[in-house]
Amino acid sequence: MGERRLADRAAVDADSVVVLDFGSQYSRLIARRVRELHVYSELLPFDTPWSEIVARKPKAVILSGGPASVYEAGSPHPDPALWTGRIPILGICYGLHLMAQALGGEVVSFSRKEFGPAVVSVTEGDRLFAGLEPEQSVWMSHGDSIARLPDGFRPTARTDSTPYAAAADPDRGLYGIQFHPEVVHTPNGREILRNFVVGIAGARQTWTATNFIASTVEEIRRRVDEHSRKTGTDGKVLCALSGGVDSAVAATLVHLAVGERLICVHVDHGMMRKNETELLRTAFDQLGVRVIVVDARERFLRKLEGVTDPEQKRHIIGNEFIRVFEEEAAKLGQIDFLTQGTLYPDVIESATSVKEKAATKIKTHHNVGGLPEDLSFQLIEPLRYLFKDEVRAVGKELGLPESMVQRQPFPGPGLAIRIIGEVTPERLDTLREADWIVIDEIKAAGLYRSVWQSFAILTPIRSVGVMGDGRTYANVVAIRAVTSEDAMTADWAKLPYEVLARISARIVNEVPGVNRVVYDISSKPPATIEWE
Ligand code: XMP
C-alpha cells in the first residue's frame, strides 16, 4: 500500500518537503504552510526510516515541535541517518533541540519558559531571514532551551531571554528556530518558511491545481487501463456521490481519466437540504458524467419511523445507505474500482498520531460513501494527498459550480440529526425551509465562507406565541453557526445582530408551524457542532 501511495504522489511533477511529526499541535499546519508556497509537502511519523524519507526525494526536511523534552527517556527521536543525509533540515522548537542534541550541543530545561508573543533580533545575516527586518515578532512556546550549540553552528537570532532563538550551520544545510513560523501569530512566518523551502532548499513552486489535475488524471487512466489489460475487464469505476465537494471533485477527476467507464450513484436518502439533489444532477449532467440517482427517500423514512435516539438514527442511516448502494452496484455488473474522496487529514489521522487518541466515542460518524471494507473493489482515492482548501482549488479549476465547490460540510446522516426527536416528512419539510433561509441570509451577508457551518435545527420544543390576534403554539427552531479550523474545536459565530434578526423574521414569517427562533451560543467543547 505504501508503495502505491508513493507512486500516486510521484505522478505529480512537484518537488516535495517532508515534515516529521514530533507531536506538536501545529505539525499539520507546517505541511499546509509549505503547500501554500506551491511546494508539495507530506507529514510523516517522526520515526519514519531514513530509507523511506529518501525514497520520496525530498528537497528538504522540516522537524516539527513537540511536547516532549529531548533529554527525557522515551522522547521521540528521528532516524539518526537524517543528520548526515545531506538534505537541508529546518528544526522548529523541539526539532531544533533534537538537532542540537544529536550533533553535540546541549539542551536544558529553561528557567524562563517562553509562551506567547516575543520579539527576536536577527543578529547575523542569515538566508533564513533574508529580506526581513532585524526585529521580528514571533510566537514562542517552549520550556527547554539550548545551552550550547554544536560545533559548526552559529546563533543567528536572539530574544531577551535566549541567545539562541535561531541557529544555523549553512555549510551542512542545517537550520533551527526556537519559535513557530507556521502559526499566524508569527506574521513573517510564511516568508521564513519560503526562505528555507525555496531560497535555501531550492524547491520549485510547481504544486498547483493545474499540475495536480493533469498528472492525477494521467495516473488514474494508466492504472485503470493497465488493470483492464491484465484482467480483460472493462475497468469500470463506481463512485458514491454525496453532494459534497470531495466526492464531486474525485468523481470529476476520474471522469476525465476514464470517461464513460465511471458510474456515479447518488443515494437520495431524503435527508438532503433543499435543492441539493437537483443541483448535483444538473452539475454532473453539464459535465457529461453519468449519475444514477436512487430515490430511497421512503425506504429511509420507514426505517426511521418512531426512532428518536441519535445513535440509533445514525446506525439506521449508515446501514441502510450501504444496503442501497450495494443493491445498485449489483445491478451494474462487474465493477473493478471504487473511487472515494478521502482527504489528507484522514490519512494523517490514521498514520502519524504520536499520542494515543482519546478512546471515548462521542458519536458514530458516517460518511455517505463510507462503505464497508469487504467490498471487492480496488480503491481510487485521488484526493488522499490534498487538504480541503486544495480540493476546493482543484474543483474550481475543474469547472464545478461555486455552490458545490464552496459548500459547507454537511453530515452524512443529513437533516435527520438536526431534527431532534422523530424524523417525519412534515418535520423534514419544516427544517428544510428554515435551513434554506439561514443559508440564503448568510450568503447574502457575505458570511458563507467565513463561517465553518451555518444551519438550522428543529427542536422538539413548542412554545406559545401570538400572530395577528391569535395564539399560536408552534415549533422552536434553533440556529447554529460556528467558526472552526478543522471541526475538532469550534466557537459559535458572532453573527451580526441584523443578520440574526433577518433570519429570525423570515423563518417565523415564511415557515409554517414555527413561531420562535433561538441562537445556539455554545462552543465545542463542551457542545458539539451538530446537536445529535
Ligand atoms: P460534531 O457534531 O461531532 O461534528 O462536532 C464535527 C463535524 O463533523 C460533521 N459530522 C459528520 N460528517 N458524517 C459526516 O460526514 C457524520 O456522521 C457526521 N456527524 C457530524 C459535522 O457536520 C461537523 O462538520
Side-chain angles (χ1 to χ4, degrees):
M1 192 64 183
E3 260 171 35
R4 209 200 81 216
R5 286 183 194 168
L6 198 57
D8 285 347
R9 196 277 296 171
V12 183
D13 176 30
D15 286 341
S16 80
V17 169
V18 161
V19 179
L20 291 184
D21 181 10
F22 292 90
S24 159
Q25 54 177 324
Y26 306 130
S27 299
R28 203 181 281 193
L29 214 46
I30 304 172
R32 290 193 55 133
R33 293 289 175 256
V34 174
R35 296 220 193 161
E36 284 164 14
L37 299 169
H38 299 296
V39 175
Y40 178 78
S41 101
E42 211 169 334
L43 186 63
L44 298 179
F46 69 89
D47 53 357
T48 305
W50 178 239
S51 57
E52 278 186 32
I53 296 175
V54 178
R56 289 168 160 82
K57 300 195 179 76
K59 284 285 189 185
V61 175
I62 298 179
L63 312 178
S64 81
S69 288
V70 290
Y71 45 78
E72 269 170 14
S75 55
H77 285 256
D79 185 334
L82 181 74
W83 309 120
T84 49
R86 309 184 71 82
I87 294 178
I89 301 175
L90 174 67
I92 295 174
C93 195
Y94 181 82
L96 164 65
H97 302 160
L98 283 169
M99 191 185 289
Q101 190 200 44
L103 298 173
E106 194 185 348
V107 179
V108 292
S109 174
F110 193 35
S111 51
R112 280 175 291 171
K113 305 199 185 307
E114 274 187 302
F115 292 101
V119 174
V120 298
S121 309
V122 180
T123 48
E124 205 175 305
D126 184 70
R127 291 176 74 191
L128 201 58
F129 299 101
L132 299 179
E133 296 294 319
E135 304 269 286
Q136 288 295 319
S137 300
V138 299
W139 185 259
M140 291 281 191
S141 173
H142 64 119
D144 288 342
S145 189
I146 292 179
R148 182 166 44 82
L149 284 174
D151 289 345
F153 275 78
R154 53 189 171 72
T156 54
R158 56 173 301 128
T159 66
D160 286 343
S161 43
T162 171
Y164 306 121
D169 179 349
D171 292 343
R172 285 192 280 176
L174 303 177
Y175 294 79
I177 44 185
Q178 184 61 75
F179 57 87
H180 289 270
E182 68 276 24
V183 301
V184 289
H185 319 290
T186 299
N188 283 321
R190 191 187 164 91
E191 293 313 309
I192 293 167
L193 285 172
R194 187 202 307 274
N195 282 340
F196 175 68
V197 168
V198 182
I200 294 169
R204 293 168 305 148
Q205 295 172 283
T206 56
W207 175 253
T208 59
T210 319
N211 277 355
F212 172 82
I213 292 168
S215 44
T216 304
V217 167
E218 192 48 45
E219 167 73 11
I220 298 170
R221 187 178 297 141
R222 197 188 52 69
R223 210 177 131 204
V224 175
D225 284 350
E226 204 173 287
H227 179 86
S228 303
R229 242 192 337 272
K230 275 193 194 147
T231 56
T233 55
D234 299 342
K236 271 199 233 156
V237 188
L238 185 61
C239 177
L241 275 185
S242 66
V245 60
D246 306 341
S247 60
V249 171
T252 311
L253 286 167
V254 175
H255 177 72
L256 286 175
V258 306
E260 298 277 286
R261 285 181 284 171
L262 171 73
I263 306 159
C264 295
V265 173
H266 170 69
V267 177
D268 182 2
H269 55 20
M271 315 293 150
M272 302 293 281
R273 285 175 294 194
K274 189 164 162 173
N275 294 347
E276 275 194 315
T277 296
E278 290 70 27
L279 172 76
L280 180 131
R281 206 196 288 261
T282 319
F284 281 91
D285 260 4
Q286 279 167 2
L287 291 166
V289 180
R290 190 172 146 201
V291 182
I292 299 172
V293 177
V294 187
D295 183 354
R297 289 176 294 181
E298 280 198 16
R299 189 168 161 169
F300 278 85
L301 270 177
R302 234 178 297 125
K303 288 271 173 192
L304 287 168
E305 246 170 41
V307 178
T308 55
D309 177 68
E311 277 298 284
Q312 216 183 332
K313 282 186 193 170
R314 284 172 172 275
H315 277 121
I316 289 172
I317 295 173
N319 290 339
E320 201 58 16
F321 177 85
I322 291 168
R323 228 165 268 143
V324 176
F325 191 79
E326 280 178 335
E327 284 170 23
E328 286 307 312
K331 292 182 200 160
L332 296 168
Q334 164 84 30
I335 299 282
D336 304 292
F337 295 93
L338 182 76
T339 189
Q340 280 189 324
T342 317
L343 298 196
Y344 197 46
D346 308 326
V347 177
I348 300 175
E349 207 69 45
S350 52
T352 67
S353 173
V354 175
K355 285 166 265 154
E356 280 294 308
K357 290 208 197 79
T360 334
K361 188 167 89 183
I362 312 289
K363 47 179 106 164
T364 313
H365 273 220
H366 139 69
N367 289 321
V368 164
L371 295 165
E373 282 165 11
D374 58 355
L375 289 176
S376 60
F377 313 119
Q378 289 193 38
L379 279 185
I380 297 179
E381 299 178 309
L383 313 179
R384 65 176 294 126
Y385 293 100
L386 302 193
F387 288 109
K388 193 83 172 188
D389 51 339
E390 294 177 314
V391 174
R392 293 206 160 110
V394 169
K396 194 166 168 221
E397 184 84 11
L398 288 168
L400 287 170
E402 175 86 4
S403 51
M404 196 173 264
V405 170
Q406 295 303 343
R407 183 185 188 252
Q408 291 174 356
F410 186 62
L415 299 181
I417 56 165
R418 294 177 180 172
I419 291 176
I420 314 306
E422 190 184 358
V423 180
T424 63
E426 297 73 36
R427 300 191 80 207
L428 271 167
D429 283 345
T430 305
L431 179 58
R432 210 172 264 129
E433 290 306 315
D435 188 69
W436 173 255
I437 291 170
V438 175
I439 295 297
D440 196 39
E441 287 298 332
I442 292 281
K443 281 185 175 166
L447 296 167
Y448 186 77
R449 287 174 65 175
S450 58
V451 296
W452 173 266
Q453 276 170 293
S454 43
F455 54 90
I457 299 109
L458 182 59
T459 78
I461 301 169
R462 290 202 293 163
S463 77
V464 174
V466 52
M467 256 182 190
D469 290 328
R471 175 188 191 270
T472 59
Y473 185 53
N475 289 300
V476 178
V477 160
I479 309 302
R480 180 90 164 127
V482 297
T483 53
S484 176
E485 282 279 319
D486 53 10
M488 300 293 284
T489 61
D491 197 6
W492 61 278
K494 313 297 182 289
L495 294 181
Y497 282 165
E498 313 82 70
V499 176
L500 285 170
R502 269 197 303 277
I503 292 174
S504 165
R506 278 192 61 190
I507 291 179
V508 292
N509 284 318
E510 295 173 30
V511 185
V514 179
N515 68 356
R516 195 177 293 265
V517 175
V518 296
Y519 189 43
D520 178 351
I521 53 167
S522 340
S523 62
K524 172 183 179 177
T528 53
I529 295 177
E530 304 291 345
W531 275 32
E532 288 197 337

